[in-house]
Amino acid sequence: MQVKVYVPKTVEIPSEYLPALVQRANENLGETGRAIAASRGHLVRQAVRDGLLRELDHLMSEDDAVDLYCDPGSEIPLEIENRTVTLTELLEALQNKKASWGIKSEDLSDKQPGITPRRRAA
């Protein structure tokens, strides 16, 4: 009997790679990327496709699908300023880092926008 198991593992993706990862994930999803909420899974799967996480290469099939989930049960959408964002909006936020999210330009000198996973009610 074969049973697929998902073992918790922490991976590190350097912040400077995030805009490019979001852009490529958005391009891979096409029009769907504008409608669905962004998640950590989108970023991690794209990082595996791009070869940034070589230790997870075994999870990629020949058709570039990556068999990986970042959150048990389902992918938790990412939020900026308590608002769920799509991949397109996340890309804009990472590129612009200002006005539309209520962040003043003087606050940006040493900060990244707060990207946090959406939490489920218990």
Side-chain angles (χ1 to χ4, degrees):
M1 175 171 90
Q2 279 190 328
V3 179
K4 189 178 290 190
V5 295
Y6 294 91
V7 179
K9 180 177 179 85
T10 301
V11 296
E12 181 73 27
I13 300 173
S15 298
E16 58 269 15
Y17 293 125
L18 290 179
L21 288 173
V22 173
Q23 182 174 3
R24 282 193 292 284
N26 193 27
E27 289 169 359
N28 285 340
L29 289 171
E31 288 299 313
T32 309
R34 295 177 188 206
I36 62 171
S39 70
R40 291 179 285 185
H42 291 115
L43 303 177
V44 174
R45 285 188 289 275
Q46 189 61 48
V48 171
R49 281 186 203 100
D50 289 355
L52 293 174
L53 301 172
R54 290 287 181 197
E55 69 272 16
L56 300 178
D57 279 352
H58 65 282
L59 299 175
M60 190 167 56
S61 66
E62 290 180 19
D63 65 351
D64 282 341
V66 180
D67 188 18
L68 182 141
Y69 292 95
C70 289
D71 301 302
S74 67
E75 297 278 329
I76 298 173
L78 294 175
E79 292 183 349
I80 298 178
E81 301 286 325
N82 296 320
R83 182 174 161 269
T84 301
V85 294
T86 64
L87 284 169
T88 303
E89 293 169 331
L90 179 59
L91 179 59
E92 290 171 6
L94 288 171
Q95 289 176 342
N96 297 333
K97 298 181 187 178
K98 53 179 148 181
S100 64
W101 303 107
I103 301 171
K104 297 177 184 165
S105 58
E106 61 267 9
D107 294 339
L108 293 174
S109 57
D110 61 343
K111 296 181 185 177
Q112 293 278 355
I115 302 173
T116 58
R118 185 174 165 190
R119 307 233 188 270
R120 292 186 195 183

